[in-house]
Amino acid sequence: AHYIGAIRYVRLPDWVDEGYCDYVAKGTDFSYDKAVAALKHDEPEMHYERSGLYLRYHLRVAHLLDHREISVARLFSTQFDPLEIDKEIIEYAGRR
């Protein structure tokens, strides 16, 4: 909130806010490939509403920061379509 300002912070989509927090907190305890597999198979842990986990949010953020190589500033300032990111993640995984 300090970095982007209070008003922008409260307007962040939950997937950006919670996904970034998970990204920072879990560090190397996150497996991108396992999360992609869970997304592909629509596993329950990929749905916050069912599991209480932010794994899908974390995956989106990790994809944008680590694979698309966008900056944190851009993550916080750009309105990304989360469903398009999910689609992109699956397509990206198919090319690897």
Side-chain angles (χ1 to χ4, degrees):
H2 178 73
Y3 178 71
I4 63 172
I7 293 173
R8 268 173 84 191
Y9 177 75
V10 297
R11 291 183 178 163
L12 280 177
D14 287 342
W15 72 265
V16 173
D17 181 20
E18 298 298 345
Y20 185 72
C21 289
D22 249 28
Y23 177 85
V24 170
K26 290 185 181 173
T28 58
D29 288 338
F30 173 76
S31 170
Y32 181 85
D33 293 331
K34 285 181 183 178
V36 169
L39 178 65
K40 284 178 157 179
H41 294 101
D42 198 30
E43 299 289 343
E45 65 265 24
M46 297 307 288
H47 298 277
Y48 172 75
E49 305 78 26
R50 289 190 239 164
S51 68
L53 300 174
Y54 296 116
L55 186 57
R56 175 177 252 148
Y57 300 169
H58 185 156
L59 176 61
R60 289 173 181 157
V61 169
H63 180 76
L64 292 172
L65 296 178
D66 298 338
H67 296 279
R68 263 223 216 153
E69 299 180 345
I70 69 162
S71 67
V72 172
R74 184 165 174 219
L75 174 69
F76 290 146
S77 65
T78 304
Q79 290 188 9
F80 295 97
D81 180 337
L83 299 179
E84 286 298 315
I85 296 169
D86 292 351
K87 198 167 117 180
E88 182 180 309
I89 290 167
I90 292 170
E91 289 171 3
Y92 177 82
R95 292 190 307 260
R96 290 180 7 158

